[in-house]
mmCIF file of all heavy atoms in Angstrom:
data_model
loop_
_atom_site.group_PDB
_atom_site.id
_atom_site.type_symbol
_atom_site.label_atom_id
_atom_site.label_comp_id
_atom_site.label_asym_id
_atom_site.label_seq_id
_atom_site.Cartn_x
_atom_site.Cartn_y
_atom_site.Cartn_z
ATOM 1 N N ILE A 116 0.152 12.812 7.639
ATOM 2 C CA ILE A 116 0.206 11.815 8.708
ATOM 3 C C ILE A 116 1.552 11.095 8.705
ATOM 4 O O ILE A 116 1.872 10.390 9.654
ATOM 5 C CB ILE A 116 -0.929 10.756 8.621
ATOM 6 C CG1 ILE A 116 -1.218 10.406 7.171
ATOM 7 C CG2 ILE A 116 -2.153 11.187 9.355
ATOM 8 C CD1 ILE A 116 -1.988 9.118 7.008
ATOM 9 N N SER A 117 2.337 11.289 7.645
ATOM 10 C CA SER A 117 3.658 10.664 7.625
ATOM 11 C C SER A 117 4.710 11.610 8.196
ATOM 12 O O SER A 117 4.965 12.688 7.668
ATOM 13 C CB SER A 117 4.037 10.258 6.199
ATOM 14 O OG SER A 117 5.430 10.084 6.101
ATOM 15 N N ASP A 118 5.314 11.164 9.276
ATOM 16 C CA ASP A 118 6.356 11.899 9.963
ATOM 17 C C ASP A 118 7.555 12.105 9.026
ATOM 18 O O ASP A 118 8.169 13.177 8.987
ATOM 19 C CB ASP A 118 6.735 11.054 11.183
ATOM 20 C CG ASP A 118 7.795 11.696 12.021
ATOM 21 O OD1 ASP A 118 7.867 12.931 12.008
ATOM 22 O OD2 ASP A 118 8.532 10.942 12.698
ATOM 23 N N ASN A 119 7.834 11.059 8.211
ATOM 24 C CA ASN A 119 8.933 11.112 7.238
ATOM 25 C C ASN A 119 8.765 12.256 6.259
ATOM 26 O O ASN A 119 9.709 12.981 5.957
ATOM 27 C CB ASN A 119 8.957 9.825 6.402
ATOM 28 C CG ASN A 119 9.769 8.761 7.079
ATOM 29 O OD1 ASN A 119 10.686 9.079 7.846
ATOM 30 N ND2 ASN A 119 9.435 7.510 6.821
ATOM 31 N N ILE A 120 7.557 12.368 5.727
ATOM 32 C CA ILE A 120 7.273 13.400 4.732
ATOM 33 C C ILE A 120 7.443 14.786 5.340
ATOM 34 O O ILE A 120 8.052 15.662 4.735
ATOM 35 C CB ILE A 120 5.850 13.201 4.150
ATOM 36 C CG1 ILE A 120 5.900 12.025 3.168
ATOM 37 C CG2 ILE A 120 5.322 14.464 3.493
ATOM 38 C CD1 ILE A 120 4.643 11.753 2.407
ATOM 39 N N ILE A 121 6.952 14.967 6.552
ATOM 40 C CA ILE A 121 7.043 16.284 7.188
ATOM 41 C C ILE A 121 8.500 16.677 7.457
ATOM 42 O O ILE A 121 8.902 17.812 7.156
ATOM 43 C CB ILE A 121 6.180 16.323 8.484
ATOM 44 C CG1 ILE A 121 4.689 16.244 8.111
ATOM 45 C CG2 ILE A 121 6.455 17.563 9.307
ATOM 46 C CD1 ILE A 121 4.194 17.317 7.126
ATOM 47 N N SER A 122 9.307 15.746 7.959
ATOM 48 C CA SER A 122 10.725 16.097 8.193
ATOM 49 C C SER A 122 11.404 16.422 6.867
ATOM 50 O O SER A 122 12.209 17.352 6.778
ATOM 51 C CB SER A 122 11.509 14.967 8.856
ATOM 52 O OG SER A 122 10.686 14.120 9.558
ATOM 53 N N TYR A 123 11.068 15.652 5.832
ATOM 54 C CA TYR A 123 11.641 15.874 4.507
ATOM 55 C C TYR A 123 11.297 17.277 3.993
ATOM 56 O O TYR A 123 12.163 18.012 3.525
ATOM 57 C CB TYR A 123 11.123 14.788 3.550
ATOM 58 C CG TYR A 123 11.455 15.026 2.097
ATOM 59 C CD1 TYR A 123 12.704 14.674 1.576
ATOM 60 C CD2 TYR A 123 10.523 15.619 1.243
ATOM 61 C CE1 TYR A 123 13.008 14.907 0.242
ATOM 62 C CE2 TYR A 123 10.816 15.850 -0.088
ATOM 63 C CZ TYR A 123 12.061 15.493 -0.585
ATOM 64 O OH TYR A 123 12.352 15.730 -1.898
ATOM 65 N N LEU A 124 10.019 17.653 4.108
ATOM 66 C CA LEU A 124 9.587 18.966 3.610
ATOM 67 C C LEU A 124 10.220 20.096 4.416
ATOM 68 O O LEU A 124 10.689 21.091 3.856
ATOM 69 C CB LEU A 124 8.060 19.085 3.649
ATOM 70 C CG LEU A 124 7.274 18.170 2.696
ATOM 71 C CD1 LEU A 124 5.777 18.335 2.906
ATOM 72 C CD2 LEU A 124 7.634 18.442 1.234
ATOM 73 N N ASN A 125 10.242 19.937 5.746
ATOM 74 C CA ASN A 125 10.849 20.968 6.607
ATOM 75 C C ASN A 125 12.310 21.196 6.242
ATOM 76 O O ASN A 125 12.806 22.315 6.304
ATOM 77 C CB ASN A 125 10.766 20.540 8.081
ATOM 78 C CG ASN A 125 9.417 20.883 8.702
ATOM 79 O OD1 ASN A 125 8.720 21.809 8.249
ATOM 80 N ND2 ASN A 125 9.044 20.154 9.734
ATOM 81 N N MET A 126 12.993 20.110 5.845
ATOM 82 C CA MET A 126 14.422 20.213 5.530
ATOM 83 C C MET A 126 14.694 20.724 4.132
ATOM 84 O O MET A 126 15.554 21.574 3.938
ATOM 85 C CB MET A 126 15.103 18.852 5.713
ATOM 86 C CG MET A 126 15.455 18.651 7.151
ATOM 87 S SD MET A 126 16.509 17.292 7.581
ATOM 88 C CE MET A 126 16.996 16.525 6.088
ATOM 89 N N THR A 127 13.977 20.189 3.146
ATOM 90 C CA THR A 127 14.340 20.473 1.754
ATOM 91 C C THR A 127 13.722 21.761 1.191
ATOM 92 O O THR A 127 14.383 22.462 0.431
ATOM 93 C CB THR A 127 13.921 19.314 0.822
ATOM 94 O OG1 THR A 127 12.530 19.062 1.012
ATOM 95 C CG2 THR A 127 14.708 18.055 1.132
ATOM 96 N N LEU A 128 12.470 22.071 1.552
ATOM 97 C CA LEU A 128 11.792 23.199 0.900
ATOM 98 C C LEU A 128 12.504 24.544 1.087
ATOM 99 O O LEU A 128 12.666 25.286 0.117
ATOM 100 C CB LEU A 128 10.325 23.285 1.327
ATOM 101 C CG LEU A 128 9.421 22.163 0.818
ATOM 102 C CD1 LEU A 128 7.965 22.437 1.179
ATOM 103 C CD2 LEU A 128 9.558 21.945 -0.686
ATOM 104 N N PRO A 129 12.973 24.869 2.304
ATOM 105 C CA PRO A 129 13.661 26.159 2.460
ATOM 106 C C PRO A 129 14.949 26.233 1.637
ATOM 107 O O PRO A 129 15.381 27.327 1.282
ATOM 108 C CB PRO A 129 13.967 26.219 3.960
ATOM 109 C CG PRO A 129 13.040 25.263 4.590
ATOM 110 C CD PRO A 129 12.836 24.168 3.593
ATOM 111 N N VAL A 130 15.555 25.078 1.328
ATOM 112 C CA VAL A 130 16.762 25.064 0.499
ATOM 113 C C VAL A 130 16.381 25.266 -0.964
ATOM 114 O O VAL A 130 16.998 26.049 -1.692
ATOM 115 C CB VAL A 130 17.541 23.733 0.672
ATOM 116 C CG1 VAL A 130 18.799 23.727 -0.176
ATOM 117 C CG2 VAL A 130 17.855 23.495 2.141
ATOM 118 N N LEU A 131 15.335 24.551 -1.386
ATOM 119 C CA LEU A 131 14.878 24.663 -2.779
ATOM 120 C C LEU A 131 14.261 26.027 -3.069
ATOM 121 O O LEU A 131 14.339 26.524 -4.187
ATOM 122 C CB LEU A 131 13.835 23.576 -3.085
ATOM 123 C CG LEU A 131 14.339 22.133 -3.083
ATOM 124 C CD1 LEU A 131 13.166 21.161 -3.163
ATOM 125 C CD2 LEU A 131 15.301 21.907 -4.245
ATOM 126 N N MET A 132 13.607 26.584 -2.060
ATOM 127 C CA MET A 132 12.922 27.876 -2.246
ATOM 128 C C MET A 132 13.326 28.847 -1.146
ATOM 129 O O MET A 132 12.608 29.008 -0.151
ATOM 130 C CB MET A 132 11.408 27.658 -2.236
ATOM 131 C CG MET A 132 10.904 26.964 -3.477
ATOM 132 S SD MET A 132 9.152 26.593 -3.360
ATOM 133 C CE MET A 132 9.230 24.850 -3.044
ATOM 134 N N PRO A 133 14.482 29.502 -1.335
ATOM 135 C CA PRO A 133 14.975 30.421 -0.302
ATOM 136 C C PRO A 133 13.925 31.489 0.014
ATOM 137 O O PRO A 133 13.306 32.024 -0.906
ATOM 138 C CB PRO A 133 16.220 31.043 -0.949
ATOM 139 C CG PRO A 133 16.630 30.092 -2.025
ATOM 140 C CD PRO A 133 15.368 29.438 -2.509
ATOM 141 N N GLY A 134 13.731 31.725 1.285
ATOM 142 C CA GLY A 134 12.752 32.737 1.686
ATOM 143 C C GLY A 134 11.403 32.148 2.057
ATOM 144 O O GLY A 134 10.574 32.822 2.669
#
Side-chain angles (χ1 to χ4, degrees):
I116 37 163
S117 160
D118 181 28
N119 273 333
I120 284 185
I121 292 304
S122 336
Y123 170 82
L124 293 176
N125 277 335
M126 277 191 4
T127 54
L128 291 186
V130 181
L131 293 170
M132 288 175 256

